[in-house]
Amino acid sequence: MAKLAESIVDKVSIDYLRNQVYKNAYGNDDTPIALLDPRTLLVWYLFFGVVPWFIDNVYMLLGLFLFVAVTTKLAKIAPLVLFLFCVGIFTQSGYLLFVSLFFGGNMSTVVPLLVLTLKVAVVSLASITVFSGLDPDKLSNGLLYFGCPDQLSFSISFAYRILPILMEQFQNILLSYRLRGMAPDKTGFKGKVKYLIYQVKIIILAFYPLMLNTAKCSRTTVEALEVKGYRYATSNPRVKKMKLSVLKFTQRDVAFAGISIFYVISITFIALGIGA
């Protein structure tokens, strides 16, 4: 039990959280998903992020879930992100089964809740797969290709790039809280539980000053961009053409798109055949 508590304390440390966030955002450049063209990934995500909401066939949703689970494995998602995904799936739909049974429901609610859970799971895994395989530049160029406003695409790209700064500021805020306070003793199981509660408490308290620091960094960034002629660059067609020139379809994109289309068509016929 003591080893379990010590392991939990290590997992919620700020260094572990920072490493997991960095790994998921910047450490997947060599995966098969990251090597694809951003346009291919965005079109793929448009299908797997929208179409599942209009499907009520359990077998087809299960097939789509298995496919996006494989792509998530290929994307080498950080364990922390997968853990949060599992917790989110349960808190959004899984608990409804227990609530319905507790208040006089029966097992007939299992199928509708399973459909809802599969829909959320497919869309969530597709989002994790795509955005872990796109670095800020690829994501911005892909959005620009599909006519996304320059300001919006830059904002999304900037949110990715400012992530290391935010994590560093977050760690500094946590250190300042620890310097001003006294952490509980970690001796024994009870002490480790108290220390875990203390860690969670200061993490929550650190979010408000982090928001203020983020607003300050955003203002400084806007002023620097205006000085360097950001508005002129966004209105210059040659700049946009230069950004889009790095996009290039490869045989890998054709193979990925072909496999996805073939699988979706196959699972559709299989699901219809089982349903009939």
Side-chain angles (χ1 to χ4, degrees):
M1 186 65 69
K3 291 183 178 180
L4 177 61
E6 184 177 357
S7 177
I8 294 175
V9 171
D10 293 337
K11 292 300 182 182
V12 298
S13 64
I14 186 60
D15 291 332
Y16 176 80
L17 297 177
R18 181 184 60 184
N19 293 335
Q20 290 293 297
V21 172
Y22 284 173
K23 181 180 182 300
N24 193 70
Y26 302 101
N28 296 328
D29 294 338
D30 57 343
T31 62
I33 301 298
L35 296 177
L36 297 173
D37 190 274
R39 295 170 292 183
T40 303
L41 289 176
L42 290 176
V43 173
W44 183 86
Y45 174 67
L46 185 64
F47 176 85
F48 285 92
V50 176
V51 173
W53 295 112
F54 302 96
I55 300 175
D56 293 325
N57 190 298
V58 177
Y59 301 104
M60 187 170 182
L61 288 173
L62 183 60
L64 294 179
F65 172 76
L66 294 176
F67 183 73
V68 295
V70 172
T71 58
T72 304
K73 178 65 177 179
L74 294 176
K76 298 181 180 179
I77 307 300
L80 177 63
V81 177
L82 294 178
F83 172 75
L84 295 177
F85 161 76
C86 295
V87 173
I89 289 296
F90 176 77
T91 55
Q92 289 182 20
S93 58
Y95 76 96
L96 293 176
L97 176 61
F98 298 98
V99 173
S100 62
L101 295 177
F102 181 78
F103 287 99
N106 51 43
M107 296 305 294
S108 62
T109 59
V110 172
V111 175
L113 289 177
L114 180 60
V115 170
L116 175 61
T117 302
L118 288 175
K119 288 182 179 181
V120 176
V122 170
V123 175
S124 301
L125 286 181
S127 303
I128 295 173
T129 300
V130 170
F131 291 103
S132 66
L134 288 175
D135 60 25
D137 291 334
K138 286 186 176 180
L139 179 59
S140 178
N141 293 336
L143 293 175
L144 284 175
Y145 178 84
F146 289 109
C148 182
D150 297 332
Q151 290 79 4
L152 179 60
S153 61
F154 173 79
S155 300
I156 298 175
S157 177
F158 175 72
Y160 268 80
R161 292 189 178 279
I162 202 176
L163 185 61
I165 300 176
L166 294 181
M167 294 299 296
E168 182 180 356
Q169 291 182 352
F170 187 55
Q171 186 175 17
N172 292 336
I173 294 171
L174 289 179
L175 292 176
S176 66
Y177 272 112
R178 292 172 182 172
L179 289 174
R180 294 185 177 94
M182 186 175 69
D185 187 15
K186 295 190 293 184
T187 305
F189 176 75
K190 186 177 180 180
K192 293 184 183 300
V193 172
K194 289 183 178 180
Y195 183 77
L196 177 62
I197 296 175
Y198 169 77
Q199 288 276 81
V200 175
K201 181 180 178 181
I202 63 174
I203 287 175
I204 295 174
L205 293 175
F207 273 102
Y208 183 70
L210 179 65
M211 292 173 60
L212 296 179
N213 289 340
T214 304
K216 183 179 180 181
C217 290
S218 300
R219 180 178 179 180
T220 304
T221 303
V222 170
E223 294 175 350
L225 290 173
E226 292 295 337
V227 171
K228 294 182 178 181
Y230 170 74
R231 292 184 182 274
Y232 170 76
T234 55
S235 60
N236 192 339
R238 291 185 299 176
V239 176
K240 184 177 181 179
K241 184 177 180 180
M242 181 178 62
K243 289 183 178 180
L244 298 180
S245 62
V246 299
L247 299 177
K248 183 179 180 180
F249 286 111
T250 62
Q251 294 182 354
R252 187 181 291 106
D253 296 282
V254 177
F256 181 77
I259 293 173
S260 300
I261 294 173
F262 176 77
Y263 182 86
V264 171
I265 295 175
S266 301
I267 199 64
T268 301
F269 282 108
I270 293 174
L272 294 177
I274 295 176

